[in-house]
Amino acid sequence: MQQSKYMKWFAVAATIGMALILLGGALVTKTDSGMGCGRNWPDCNGSLIPTHITPEILIEFSHRVVTGSVSILIFILSFWSWRKLGHVREVKFLSFLALFFLIAQALIGAAQVLWGQGDFILALHFGISLISFAAVFLLTLIIFEVDQKFNANNVHIGGVLKWNTIGVTIYSYLVVYTGALVRHTNSSLICPDWPLCRNDQMVLPGNFYEWVQMGHRLAAGLIFIWVLIITIHVIKHYKKQPVLYWSWIIALIIVCCQVIAGMGVVLTRLNIVVALLHTLFISLLFGLLCYMIMLISRSSHQAKK
């Protein structure tokens, strides 16, 4: 049954809103605006609405407003999906994930403002938000009935593709964490060159910050190679299953954009637009990989019938 256009537009708004939360959080970190409102939450420097506006206050307060507004959207979308599409196998689980991890990331953000946290804990903040984004993204695809349009319920996924998809999805989360750790440890520009830390020196990283930066580059390079190998396998063996064929081609395009944006972050000395694109691309890649995990679940379910 076709879903109402209102539900579809609402789902699109919630998905875009979650993307804005991810980008807003990255912007807060990249501009060192986390303490723009001081050690105050949910108020800002003692006021519900700040009266003295600085760039840091504007960025931090705007991020809080967007997070609060989108939280309401996602709560409504989750309840609406549960009521109207609860018969679809994944909907209730995705609705729960979207709400649970959205609340979790908000609480971690509040805890950082009120008490402060270590870099390794803060790096989890983006990853937690990313799970909520992926859940909302998948709900949106279900609402738009993408599976029916691509006959996704009848996909047949072999063991090689199944385990590589699961593996690269889990690994992508590690890449996300290392990228967040780069930001939170202020290691973004510790290595002035690319692809090596210093292209004129073939040496190992010399300190913790260089290890964080080069560890992330290595992790990003490996995910590019892994996605490339999987895509070649899919092109060879899954041409007759368009949802898999095109999903992996898109995944390869996104991971290429991710690598280029990562290089651009270094070469442009942390240009904010390039840095936010870097965040956007990994978010889209993770969402797409989660969609393919859902296809694997459906394939396994169909095989048991």
Side-chain angles (χ1 to χ4, degrees):
M1 182 183 297
Q2 266 198 331
Q3 307 311 318
S4 74
K5 63 180 181 179
Y6 302 108
M7 191 177 190
K8 290 180 178 179
W9 282 113
F10 205 90
V12 170
T15 304
I16 294 174
M18 269 309 308
L20 291 176
I21 288 177
L22 292 174
L23 295 176
L27 183 62
V28 167
T29 303
K30 293 176 191 300
T31 58
D32 292 322
S33 301
M35 289 292 100
C37 289
R39 293 286 180 191
N40 300 94
W41 191 94
D43 60 311
C44 186
N45 292 323
S47 302
L48 185 60
I49 299 177
T51 53
H52 176 66
I53 302 297
T54 65
E56 292 79 13
I57 290 175
L58 181 62
I59 292 171
E60 169 66 10
F61 185 71
S62 298
H63 179 54
R64 294 187 187 186
V65 170
V66 170
T67 300
S69 302
V70 174
S71 297
I72 296 171
L73 285 179
I74 293 176
F75 178 81
I76 295 172
L77 178 66
S78 298
F79 181 76
W80 198 349
S81 301
W82 191 297
R83 287 289 304 274
K84 296 294 184 182
L85 298 172
H87 60 280
V88 179
R89 196 163 61 95
E90 301 88 0
V91 163
K92 292 181 179 180
F93 177 65
L94 292 173
S95 298
F96 170 78
L97 282 185
L99 280 175
F100 178 83
F101 283 99
L102 180 66
I103 294 171
Q105 68 87 23
L107 292 177
I108 289 178
Q112 162 59 15
V113 170
L114 294 173
W115 304 296
Q117 297 177 27
D119 294 330
F120 286 87
I121 299 298
L122 283 176
L124 290 172
H125 191 201
F126 181 79
I128 290 172
S129 302
L130 192 58
I131 294 176
S132 184
F133 167 78
V136 174
F137 176 67
L138 294 184
L139 277 176
T140 300
L141 293 181
I142 291 172
I143 290 168
F144 272 83
E145 299 171 323
V146 169
D147 293 342
Q148 295 181 28
K149 295 172 184 176
F150 285 94
N151 198 26
N153 286 327
N154 295 319
V155 295
H156 300 285
I157 301 175
V160 172
L161 181 57
K162 173 184 176 181
W163 292 112
N164 274 280
T165 301
I166 294 172
V168 79
T169 303
I170 295 172
Y171 180 73
S172 71
Y173 202 74
L174 174 64
V175 176
V176 166
Y177 181 79
T178 60
L181 195 59
V182 167
R183 293 200 301 270
H184 287 290
T185 57
N186 294 317
S187 304
S188 297
L189 297 180
I190 193 67
C191 291
D193 297 329
W194 194 93
L196 300 179
C197 190
R198 290 169 179 80
N199 288 336
D200 60 343
Q201 300 177 18
M202 298 286 291
V203 295
L204 291 173
N207 55 57
F208 168 76
Y209 302 101
E210 289 182 0
W211 276 107
V212 170
Q213 171 63 239
M214 295 309 297
H216 175 61
R217 292 190 193 182
L218 176 62
L222 290 176
I223 197 173
F224 167 76
I225 295 170
W226 200 346
V227 171
L228 175 62
I229 292 172
I230 296 173
T231 303
I232 292 172
H233 174 77
V234 170
I235 290 174
K236 287 182 177 179
H237 301 285
Y238 290 88
K239 285 184 178 180
K240 294 183 180 180
Q241 298 193 59
V243 68
L244 294 173
Y245 183 85
W246 289 109
S247 290
W248 278 106
I249 288 177
I250 293 171
L252 180 60
I253 293 171
I254 293 174
V255 81
C256 287
C257 292
Q258 172 71 4
V259 171
I260 293 170
M263 175 183 67
V265 168
V266 176
L267 299 183
T268 64
R269 297 297 181 259
L270 205 59
N271 177 276
I272 196 65
V273 174
V274 177
L276 291 179
L277 284 174
H278 189 58
T279 299
L280 178 63
F281 289 137
I282 194 62
S283 302
L284 293 175
L285 178 64
F286 184 75
L288 182 57
L289 291 175
C290 286
Y291 173 65
M292 287 186 276
I293 291 291
M294 188 173 75
L295 293 182
I296 288 173
S297 174
R298 290 188 173 183
S299 174
S300 299
H301 183 71
Q302 290 292 330
K304 292 177 181 178
K305 290 184 176 180

